[in-house]
Every structure is written in structure tokens, then in C-alpha cells.
Amino acid sequence: MTEFDRMWAEILPVGRDGGTGGYRRFAWTRDDHTLREWFAGECAQRGLDLTEDRMGNQWAWWGDPDAAPGVVIGSHLDSVPDGGAYDGPLGVVSALAVIDALRADGFAPTVPLGVVNFVDEEGARFGVACAGSRVITGAMTADRALGLKDADGRTMAEALETAGRRTDIGRDDETLRRIGTFVELHVEQGRALADLDPATSAVAVGTDIWPHGRWRIDFAGEANHAGTTRLEDRHDAMLGYAQTVLAARTVAQQRGCVATMGKVVVDPNGVNAIPSRVTGWLDARGPVDHDVRRAVADVTEAAEQHGGTVAEESWTGATTFDPALAQRMRDLLGGGAPMLGTGAGHDAGILANAGISTGMLYVRNPTGVSHSPEEFAEAADCHTGVEALATVVRGLAS
Ligand SMILES: [Zn+2]
């Protein structure tokens, strides 16, 4: 068993739902705490110096991080509701395994090497993805982050306090200065690699992330009896919501985008009660900024026609990873690695937009399924991913 396999097996049970087999590793919960402690333990075992930035992202350093801008690898350990095992943890576990591989070779890095575990990447609880990297780069203000509410109406400020974490969060220039280059390894969240030549497509180099965002759409109605209220007397909040879901699908097709309304909250949520309030969330993405913007404008118009109000929760424009770094990584990997764009957001995208030289490696996902308990990658491909990341770090840190 490799160190990778041991670490993988250790975290596999944490936050796993017994019924669905999916993961519920939400930020600042007990499972999140368990994973952070596990990460700290692995870093301590390796003699890495662990620090936390102003948002609680964990950074483990081999070498003095203030000696020179370092090469940082890593990802996140949190999950979406009923997420898979690979999205995030594959990058963190691989990064730790890379440290082992480099040391086994007697490699002496010429710059500090860092391993990061970003907090709250999925935004499963407070609705904004990549909260950890957004706050430290200033892409999201502390006030906005602290005021975000979860489904129970608890604010992020309260969640931080309950978890015993610092609440004086904010932009962290000291941390940002330490990142010379950031490379995030991640399971692919689509089928692009699985469709290529199996001999050369276990690992790809990332090129860009599609523009993407989230919008909250509220519909107000009036609760009443499902049996005694005449159809013409009803104010049914569900009808406007349903029209908007259908509009989102049509508009996405017209604009060459993807649109998803996968989360909905209904009041009073009774089978025999007319809905008095429906809140739905739109996730929209696509290859071209203005197409996504126009699609969202069209959905907004449809929602407003049916009495809805739309509020933007997050927006991240098109992200291009450092092209020179992408080419360098491809060369280091022998020149044949596929180059891949993606519709999935990552902390790497937030750091890239903050002006940091950033790249990504994707590990093949045979079914392409992600954000689901079915998410999978072959063990052999995961090991190839570790080797590829080690090769890249060796090249960048010597
Ligand atoms: Zn992820």
C-alpha cells in the first residue's frame, strides 16, 4: 500500500452518508473539523510548518515561506451535499503524496513548497463557492462573507464563532505574497479525457475555466387550503418558479450555455398547502462571458414576468490559467498531455484572477460524473496523477 492509498483509506469514512454513500463535508462542521485535524496531523508527520491565513485556509510549508515565493499545491476537503470522494480530497492527498515522493528521491527544492487545504470551496452551506480563496484575495469582502446565511438562518459569522475560528477574516496579502505558483490537481468533472486515447489521457493540463455564477430567485405567494381554494383565487408561488425553470433550460439552449436550478426551498412545504414562498437558485455557465450574461438576463426577465425577484450571489468571469505555466507543465509531462478547459469553478480560478501564476492538472474520470456519490477515478490514474504532479513540482522548484 502506498502512502497515497493509506491516506485515501483514512479519510474515506469521514462525512459519508450511510444512506446515499455520498459525502456531506460542509465547512465549519464536525466532519470538516475532523478533516482539518487529519490534514494537520499529516503535515506534522512530515515536519511541515502549518499556518492558517485570515480565512482559516491551512498552509503547510516545506522551507521558509518568506524566503522566496513558493510553489504551492493542494485543493479542498469539503464537499457538496452528497458529493463524491474525489472532488477536492484527490488534490490534497496527492499533494501530500508528492512531498513524500520528492523526499524519497532526495529532491532539494530551491524555493519553499506549500500544501494548501482551502476552506469552504463548494459553498454548500452559505451559497458562495470558493469562499476561502475569495476572502483572502479580496474577491469577496469580509462583511459580505460574514453576513451570508445558511438554510437555518445562521450567518457565517456565527458558524465561525461556533467552530471556534477567528472572525476577523479578510484579504491576506502576507499569504498571497508567499504563492509564486499554484498548481491544483483535481478529478475531471466531465468526460473529455475518457473520450481520448486511453494510453495518453490519464492526466490533462487545464487551460481555462468558463465564466459562471449563482443567482437567487424568490417568488411570493399566499398559503391556503389545497382543497377549498378555487384555482382562480390562488396565489401559488410554485407556478412562477416552474415557468422559470423551463425558461432557464430553453434560454441555455439558445445561448450555448448550461443552466441548472438544482436547489429549491418551499414554504410551507406541505402537500396540501398552496406554496406561499418559493426560493430557487440558478447556476449558469458557458464558454463566453456575454452569452452567459445574456442567458441570465433572459431568465431574469422570465422570472420577473411571473412575479419573481432575482439577486446575484456570485459571478466569476472567464478565467485563463497562466498560458506559459500550462505550456511548461505540458512540456514537463513529456509534451503529450491533453489541454482542457472546464465549466467547473475552482480555488485555482480565484487565485488566477487575483494575478497569481496558476495551473491545474485533471485526473481522468471514466464516467465524467461528479458532485454525486458515483464520482470515480481508477486507482492507477490517481497514482499517475501523483507522479505527474511530482514531475511538475520537481520542474518548477529546481
Ligand atoms: Zn473541487
Side-chain angles (χ1 to χ4, degrees), residues 29-331:
T29 60
R30 186 162 43 179
D31 290 325
D32 184 53
H33 181 74
T34 302
L35 290 166
R36 292 171 65 87
E37 291 288 294
W38 173 85
F39 180 77
E42 290 297 323
C43 295
Q45 259 184 47
R46 290 168 174 81
L48 305 175
D49 295 322
L50 191 67
T51 63
E52 281 187 23
D53 63 28
R54 289 187 63 195
M55 187 55 179
N57 302 302
Q58 294 175 298
W59 305 81
W61 288 100
W62 174 5
D64 175 5
D66 295 317
V71 173
V72 182
I73 54 180
S75 190
H76 61 95
L77 292 174
D78 69 317
S79 79
V80 295
D82 271 333
Y86 297 81
D87 176 356
L90 184 63
V92 175
V93 173
S94 295
L96 292 167
V98 162
I99 300 293
D100 297 338
L102 297 179
R103 285 180 171 168
D105 290 354
F107 178 74
T110 54
V111 294
L113 291 189
V115 177
V116 62
N117 170 32
F118 279 109
V119 73
D120 197 24
E121 194 275 342
E122 300 288 4
R125 191 166 165 196
F126 294 100
V128 179
C130 302
S133 53
R134 280 184 205 273
V135 168
I136 62 158
T137 57
M140 177 160 63
T141 64
D143 283 350
R144 164 122 201 271
L146 291 169
L148 292 171
K149 287 184 179 164
D150 68 10
D152 300 324
R154 291 165 57 84
T155 62
M156 187 183 282
E158 289 168 325
L160 287 167
E161 231 160 86
T162 306
R165 313 219 64 85
R166 62 191 289 180
T167 51
D168 60 332
I169 63 172
R171 189 182 159 96
D172 192 331
D173 288 307
E174 191 189 350
T175 296
L176 297 178
R177 264 199 305 276
R178 293 172 165 179
I179 317 168
T181 309
F182 176 56
V183 179
E184 180 170 3
L185 177 145
H186 204 279
V187 68
E188 195 203 343
Q189 297 175 285
R191 285 188 36 82
L193 286 182
D195 290 342
L196 300 175
D197 176 3
T200 57
S201 60
V203 176
V205 174
T207 52
D208 62 291
I209 296 179
W210 288 2
H212 57 282
R214 295 180 183 189
W215 292 262
R216 173 189 165 125
I217 313 182
D218 287 290
F219 299 88
E222 198 176 84
N224 212 330
H225 195 288
T228 57
T229 315
R230 287 195 296 257
L231 288 178
E232 59 267 34
D233 291 340
R234 295 179 182 213
H235 301 287
D236 184 342
M238 187 64 83
L239 296 180
Y241 169 74
Q243 300 276 6
T244 305
V245 173
L246 296 175
R249 173 64 185 238
T250 305
V251 159
Q253 264 161 351
Q254 287 165 349
R255 303 286 185 201
C257 304
V258 290
T260 307
M261 295 192 69
K263 179 178 175 183
V264 60
V265 176
V266 182
D267 283 335
N269 207 19
V271 176
N272 54 2
I274 295 164
S276 61
R277 170 165 288 276
V278 174
T279 301
W281 279 265
L282 168 70
D283 176 308
R285 315 174 191 219
V288 182
D289 268 64
H290 72 262
D291 288 341
V292 183
R293 279 296 183 184
R294 286 181 63 175
V296 172
D298 292 348
V299 175
T300 301
E301 198 182 310
E304 286 172 353
Q305 266 173 23
H306 295 97
T309 55
V310 180
E312 183 172 297
E313 289 195 334
S314 68
W315 168 254
T316 308
T319 301
T320 307
F321 293 123
D322 180 352
L325 174 63
Q327 189 55 50
R328 179 93 196 277
M329 294 202 295
R330 191 169 196 237
D331 292 344

